[in-house]
Amino acid sequence: MDHLDVLESRTIYVLREAFNKIDKLAMLWSLGKDSNVMLWCARKAFFGHVPFPLATIDTGKKFPEMYAFRDRYIKEWNLDVVIAGCPPVEEMDPSLPPAARSAARKTAGLKAIVAREGYTGLIAGIRRDEEGTRAKERVFSPRGEQNTWNFRDQPPEFWDQFNTDFAPGTHLRVHPLLHWTELDIWRYTKRENIPLVDLYFAKNGKRYRSLGDKDITFPVDSDADTVDKIIEELMHTKIAERSGRAMDHEAEDSFERLRAEGYL
């Protein structure tokens, strides 16, 4: 097995373990590159059929290309998708900086869909190398009431031994891509020929490395208009993956505050 085979195998194991252990399970589908790799692995894990719903948190501010991508692959892959709306920004914590306050709408939408659908577990496609706060995560991470996350008190996962034995009623976040890097995602996307929103590919010297709401996400300078060129670019760049996310450049602790409250 090569490196990508090992990553895929471990992700499929986590997905099957989550499906086996969690009664009311859903997968978050953001339509981004990581989320699509996770969905691809789920389709492999369950032989082409994803046995749990996909939840999409819709702020109404995604790029048109993302909505078109979502609608196309719901049909082509026969997906069961639950779409959740978000409250207006005026209802969010006014002490947050502007972009973080806008992003907080997704947390509110997420909490609403969890309450409405009764999910006891959510699968999310975050990676440790994306951002410092996410590096503190666990593969199987228990949440408190209202989906809050105590990043100072997480169960140990020594030697990749996952703890899946939690008290009944515990809400879990499951992270099957935690061990992947951005380069891994792109190399696997190339190997598997996974479809993507075309905003990732450069046009007029710009491309998006990370996709979010169109009013708080910005492209980076790049001429990489193919997967091969993106892989080559990532092997040499010193620009952070989330450099185009406005919220990451606001108050130092704003992202950590969002995650503690339940943000992805």
Side-chain angles (χ1 to χ4, degrees):
M1 295 174 70
D2 65 15
H3 177 62
L4 294 179
D5 292 330
V6 173
L7 291 174
E8 179 193 76
S9 176
R10 185 175 173 188
T11 294
I12 287 175
Y13 172 82
V14 171
L15 289 166
R16 289 173 173 167
E17 186 75 357
F19 182 61
N20 180 46
K21 295 286 186 178
I22 300 173
D23 292 333
K24 187 77 172 177
L25 183 66
M27 173 182 283
L28 295 168
W29 187 31
S30 72
L31 312 172
K33 60 186 188 304
D34 306 326
S35 196
N36 288 333
V37 164
M38 181 171 66
L39 175 55
W40 191 266
C41 289
R43 295 176 71 232
K44 279 195 171 186
F46 301 103
F47 309 103
H49 169 67
V50 182
F52 35 74
L54 305 184
T56 297
I57 312 302
D58 187 5
T59 60
K61 292 186 175 182
K62 294 183 183 298
F63 294 92
E65 293 89 340
M66 298 173 74
Y67 289 116
F69 183 91
R70 180 192 70 186
D71 295 343
R72 174 180 175 180
Y73 286 99
I74 285 175
K75 294 178 181 176
E76 287 196 19
W77 292 344
N78 191 29
L79 303 173
D80 175 13
V81 175
V82 180
I83 298 175
C86 299
V89 71
E90 290 77 14
E91 295 181 14
M92 301 298 102
D93 181 355
S95 69
L96 286 168
R101 192 180 181 200
S102 181
R105 296 178 60 226
K106 287 198 286 189
T107 305
L110 178 62
K111 289 180 177 179
I113 197 172
V114 168
R116 188 185 79 199
E117 301 293 332
Y119 298 134
T120 54
L122 288 172
I123 304 171
I126 67 168
R127 309 186 327 265
R128 284 198 175 99
D129 76 326
E130 281 181 275
E131 192 275 333
T133 304
R134 286 176 170 163
K136 302 173 184 175
E137 268 290 5
R138 301 292 189 266
V139 176
F140 286 85
S141 176
R143 265 22 191 199
E145 293 184 5
Q146 301 299 315
N147 287 292
T148 52
W149 179 49
N150 184 354
F151 57 85
R152 295 185 177 88
D153 184 22
Q154 290 286 289
E157 289 183 335
F158 297 132
W159 304 289
D160 293 337
Q161 298 299 305
F162 310 129
N163 178 15
T164 59
D165 187 16
F166 295 99
T170 301
H171 182 81
L172 285 176
R173 292 279 181 89
V174 183
H175 305 119
L177 300 183
L178 209 54
H179 53 300
W180 295 57
T181 67
E182 186 183 10
L183 257 176
D184 293 331
I185 292 292
W186 280 104
R187 285 170 172 155
Y188 186 75
T189 296
K190 176 186 176 183
R191 188 183 87 169
E192 303 287 314
N193 195 26
I194 299 173
L196 287 171
V197 177
D198 65 3
L199 294 168
Y200 284 114
F201 302 103
K203 293 176 184 173
N204 302 317
K206 299 277 189 181
R207 76 176 188 89
Y208 289 86
R209 275 181 71 181
S210 178
L211 293 180
D213 285 353
K214 60 185 177 184
D215 59 340
I216 56 173
T217 308
F218 305 98
V220 298
D221 293 335
S222 174
D223 293 318
D225 56 2
T226 66
V227 174
D228 283 331
K229 290 180 182 178
I230 289 173
I231 290 171
E232 181 67 22
E233 178 184 88
L234 294 180
M235 291 173 66
H236 301 97
T237 187
K238 294 183 179 179
I239 298 173
E241 179 179 1
R242 291 178 58 90
S243 60
R245 296 291 191 110
M247 57 187 283
D248 287 30
H249 304 288
E250 296 181 325
E252 185 176 354
D253 67 341
S254 59
F255 193 76
E256 188 168 277
R257 287 174 61 189
L258 286 176
R259 295 220 73 234
E261 291 297 318
Y263 190 81
L264 297 176

